[in-house]
Amino acid sequence: MPGQRKRKRRQQAERERAAARFAPGAGHWEVLFTTQDESRWRAYVERLRASASAPAPASVSASSSETGVDWSAMRVDVLCGRLVQPTTYRLSRFVPGPEGD
């Protein structure tokens, strides 16, 4: 198939970059939000998406404000429940460690 080799190489390179970026010792995962209520979970994620797509106020320069959410550094955990324990939804953000270590 045309382009398949190029696509596979690009995907492999993306996986290698992500593995290096999130390697053990490169930082830690910080829990931003956790709930057992799916509607609260969906509302929180939608608020994040809306704030990420909203333009920065004109009075604040883009370099000094957080212009959005880095979704490539976010992790969604859905801990599946059973009869005894309900399903838990958790959103975490990767926080890089100090550069000197």
Side-chain angles (χ1 to χ4, degrees), residues 11-90:
Q11 290 172 344
Q12 179 64 29
E14 289 172 6
R15 282 191 297 269
E16 290 171 0
R17 280 193 301 274
R21 182 177 177 195
F22 303 125
H28 65 278
W29 291 96
E30 176 183 82
V31 176
L32 298 177
F33 183 76
T34 185
T35 186
Q36 294 178 344
D37 183 11
E38 186 176 2
S39 61
R40 286 186 61 211
W41 164 255
R42 289 183 185 274
Y44 183 81
V45 172
E46 288 302 317
R47 279 196 311 270
L48 275 180
R49 286 183 180 152
S51 69
S53 63
S59 62
V60 178
S61 67
S63 61
S64 66
S65 70
E66 187 174 305
T67 58
V69 177
D70 180 12
W71 290 103
S72 67
M74 300 295 260
R75 182 176 75 185
V76 174
D77 298 317
V78 179
L79 309 172
C80 296
R82 298 288 186 259
L83 295 175
V84 178
Q85 187 174 3
T87 301
T88 301
Y89 304 91
R90 184 168 57 194

